[in-house]
Amino acid sequence: MEPSVHDFLSKSLLNEQELVRDYQRFAMRIKEEDPEMEKSFRHWAEEDGLRANKIEEFLHKVEKNYNKTR
């Protein structure tokens, strides 16, 4: 069974948020050891943060449309 749009967006949002936290933690850990790697992981955390924000916007849009039809 295919997940609903709401369920898919919710799961995607959680995944992105988890990646942001993981990338940030790893960047802090690797900071002294490899500044280039730290920079890349901080950049990826930012990218995933932006993606998470967009997914959250879509999720709110879906929820708003669902509440209109009720």
Side-chain angles (χ1 to χ4, degrees):
M1 183 173 159
E2 289 287 317
S4 69
V5 172
H6 182 274
D7 290 345
F8 184 83
L9 290 172
S10 294
K11 184 176 186 292
S12 296
L13 178 58
L14 289 174
N15 289 341
E16 291 297 333
Q17 290 169 332
E18 188 174 337
L19 281 172
V20 170
R21 286 188 297 271
D22 289 347
Y23 288 160
Q24 288 173 335
R25 271 192 225 114
F26 187 73
M28 290 174 65
R29 192 174 119 209
I30 198 79
K31 186 177 183 176
E32 301 297 322
E33 200 174 318
D34 192 328
E36 180 185 8
M37 197 181 301
E38 180 219 1
K39 184 178 177 181
S40 291
F41 275 89
R42 286 200 186 281
H43 176 74
W44 295 333
E46 284 181 32
E47 286 180 336
D48 280 343
L50 293 172
R51 189 174 300 112
N53 285 336
K54 191 62 174 179
I55 292 169
E56 190 170 31
E57 285 176 24
F58 290 149
L59 184 58
H60 290 308
K61 181 180 176 181
V62 166
E63 289 171 345
K64 184 178 175 183
N65 288 339
Y66 175 76
N67 289 332
K68 276 185 185 179
T69 61
R70 291 182 86 197

